[in-house]
Amino acid sequence: MIWTKGGLAGAAMAAVALLAACASSGAGGRAVQIVQRDGGCTPTTVQATPGEKLKLVVKNESNMDYEIEGIDGTKLEELIIPSGLTRTPGYTVPDGPGIHKLKCYVPAGVSTIIEIHAGNAAATAPATAPAASGVSTVAAPAGTVVTATLADYTISAGKTDVPAGTVTFIAKNASPDLAHELAVLRAKGSGSYEKLGEIEALAPDQSGEMTLNLTPGNYVLACLIVPGEAGSTVDHFKLGMETAFHVGP
Ligand SMILES: [Cu+2]
């Protein structure tokens, strides 16, 4: 066998990919069962040790596609669990006592906050929303720009019908005292949605932006903050924090 530069690079990349897969699979961690049903997720509290490695065994027994992700600063990447399937992401509990939150939800539907209590976690919950990224500087984004103003509890978009392609959303939270976010949901039919991206919990008066590549279809711009997330006690979507959005050919 002749090793070419490309072959070596390819082998190295394969090794990196393998390592990455192991790191995110939860292999070797303590198994924690999470079950997703039509009415929400269980359990809502998980006890853990600071620094402990967990293997989340997330089983979707519902008829809908679920998502799970870390919120309020918890580092678990968003993961979709299709109806009927199980996924096993890894999560390493940070050092020190604290409460770490996972949001287990159907976009624009039922939502459950799962708290991972590490050590003597009472009264040491991390302070509310992490600082959101501000609007990055000058360079005008390519494609279509959609501004969105978030308030209690409405979303008003500067454009609600745009051509397919690159769309940059710039969201401003105009609320004087509540955090809001901007999620872009694509309608999949039969009343279900897939979340394509979100500008996470913006503090009052903060702005953020995100760029997505959108294909033609019907969308909803929404704030999916639920009780227990970003200091909220209410479900923002249910209070009407959503607006229809269309992408044409
Ligand atoms: Cu909101």
Side-chain angles (χ1 to χ4, degrees):
M1 177 178 222
I2 297 167
W3 283 100
T4 63
K5 263 185 172 173
L8 280 169
M13 282 171 67
V16 168
L18 199 61
L19 280 172
C22 290
S24 62
S25 74
R30 173 169 65 92
V32 172
Q33 312 287 334
I34 294 173
V35 181
Q36 302 169 318
R37 297 195 178 89
D38 288 344
C41 305
T42 51
T44 55
T45 305
V46 172
Q47 295 294 339
T49 307
E52 185 178 19
K53 189 175 180 209
L54 303 178
K55 175 188 181 183
L56 306 176
V57 181
V58 189
K59 186 177 185 192
N60 185 351
E61 294 184 350
S62 81
N63 293 315
M64 303 163 289
D65 292 348
Y66 255 96
E67 301 194 15
I68 192 164
E69 68 183 69
I71 60 165
D72 293 3
T74 299
K75 291 187 175 7
L76 181 75
E77 287 288 323
E78 176 183 350
L79 181 67
I80 297 176
I81 298 99
S83 173
L85 297 187
T86 298
R87 295 280 186 265
T88 56
Y91 176 69
T92 301
V93 181
D95 288 330
I99 295 175
H100 310 284
K101 294 182 181 179
L102 306 179
K103 183 176 178 181
C104 185
Y105 68 107
V106 175
V110 65
S111 182
T112 304
I113 304 288
I114 299 172
E115 292 188 346
I116 298 174
H117 289 211
N120 183 12
T124 54
T128 52
S133 53
V135 172
S136 49
T137 43
V138 278
T144 308
V145 174
V146 176
T147 57
T149 302
L150 314 178
D152 312 337
Y153 294 92
T154 59
I155 294 180
S156 53
K159 297 188 180 95
T160 55
D161 198 341
V162 302
T166 303
V167 182
T168 296
F169 293 90
I170 300 176
K172 158 123 187 172
N173 182 6
S175 169
D177 46 22
L178 298 178
H180 291 295
E181 66 178 19
L182 180 72
V184 176
L185 311 179
R186 177 175 159 78
K188 297 194 295 181
S190 66
S192 65
Y193 296 92
E194 175 186 7
K195 190 174 80 180
L196 298 188
E198 71 183 335
I199 297 170
E200 298 199 39
L202 294 168
D205 210 34
Q206 274 192 318
S207 296
E209 73 174 71
M210 113 184 110
T211 299
L212 299 172
N213 194 6
L214 301 181
T215 55
N218 291 318
Y219 292 75
V220 172
L221 307 184
C223 176
L224 301 181
I225 288 177
V226 295
E229 179 178 12
S232 182
T233 56
V234 293
D235 184 317
H236 294 208
F237 184 86
K238 284 185 186 160
L239 289 174
M241 212 164 162
E242 51 150 328
T243 190
F245 189 76
H246 183 259
V247 177

